Amino acid sequence: MRRLEILRTVMISILSNKFRVFLTSLGIIIGTLTIILVVGIGRAGETAVAEQYSRLSVESITISRVKGMGQSAAPTEILNKDDAMLMSEVLPNVKSIGVSTKVLTDIGANGASSAITIQGINEEYAEITRLHVAYGVMLTNEDSMMRNKYVVLGSNVAAAFFDGDLAGAVGEKVLIKGSSFEVIGVLDSVGGSGGISTSQADSGSVDDMAFIPYDVAVKYTTGSTSRNMSSSANQVSYIALANDINSVDLAMEEIKEYIVETIGTGDAYTVTDAGNVLESAQATAKTLSSLLLAVAVIVLVVSGIGIMNVLMVAVKERTREIGILKSIGASRKTIMIEFLLEAAAISVFGGILGALMSLAAPWIFSMSTIAFEPSVEGILLGIGFSVLTGIFFGFYPAAKASGLEPIVALNYE
């Protein structure tokens, strides 16, 4: 048979069973769409991680409480603020120390309220993590010592409470845990899911947070009056700045030794440089993307089994046709190609339809908090997987069809 005749036969077979072909391709459509969405979400996640930590100085070192240690640890096993601040004075390779504590609490203004992550910080924390105000001024250590009830809002928080007027938010009042705070600044927008964190597990964006002086946070928002913060030790973290990029490793060793000398154990805190934090966060994002991609591939495999079942039925229905083709000289290879092309056509149809549906993803995700980054790579990967799935699972029915004996096929009822 000529190639054109084979293609014509394939098209006739597909068009004569349009509804069955469509139902068969549904799984391919969903699988392809899932792969494209997974790739887009994964890329957006990796981009967000890169943006999040790009604001950290390369000389920065995070010092975070190991989760769960605060439940049973003795007060002597907690690195308090005063001891931590001394590191910049007694450790030769440590230039400055930032401190941060956080709590999720209600913040209200203009008759509206919302649960917002409030971070209590000192001036060094803002400098090391490069928190910059677009309007107003940043918090200072004097604000912390004077217990000034000042707050700096993330751009999204300010926009939500003050009708998008970021500059107008400066000088206004907000309520945090029933106490009135004056807005003295609004941060510039980070965008996406970016943000600054001194904890690897923290993925909040500065756009959606509010910042107040550290000692004010200790007194008014965490429910603790102790400078040790022993009741909420897991919420306190520090960030150090090494003298320069060449001093980072030395500074980390000094910090670890200092912690052991101060609290008697090195197991209560993790000490990590910005590069390792970024690599760890990116690895986590890639692992999540891989898991989601595996789910999408499983969907395609199930769809491939459906294609195989449909083609097996088609072989049964067209047994006499196969016998006639063989009796007039059609080779085994020709029969196999015909059925493989049919499987590939169903897969291509499902893949293209799934890819077309994915074009609406940016618009749909724009109405949610999920970040999505469209890419040609994702579309090609989705269609490629769908075609391979169809050919793989179409091979057995095609081989069975090509192996039928002409006499047996012609006598089939």
Side-chain angles (χ1 to χ4, degrees), residues 205-223:
S205 167
V206 297
D207 294 344
D208 303 316
M209 298 168 67
F211 298 84
I212 61 178
Y214 177 82
D215 289 313
V216 176
V218 172
K219 184 175 181 180
Y220 292 101
T221 64
T222 62

Side-chain angles (χ1 to χ4, degrees), residues 241-262:
L241 187 68
N243 292 333
D244 52 56
I245 187 63
N246 297 320
S247 304
V248 172
D249 290 338
L250 290 173
M252 289 177 64
E253 290 302 317
E254 290 174 357
I255 291 169
K256 290 176 182 177
E257 291 175 6
Y258 180 85
I259 290 174
V260 172
E261 291 173 3
T262 304

Side-chain angles (χ1 to χ4, degrees), residues 90-120:
V90 301
L91 302 181
N93 289 291
V94 177
K95 186 176 182 180
S96 62
I97 295 288
V99 61
S100 167
T101 181
K102 65 178 182 177
V103 64
L104 181 67
T105 188
D106 286 336
I107 179 172
N110 293 326
S113 66
S114 180
I116 300 292
T117 296
I118 307 292
Q119 271 199 282

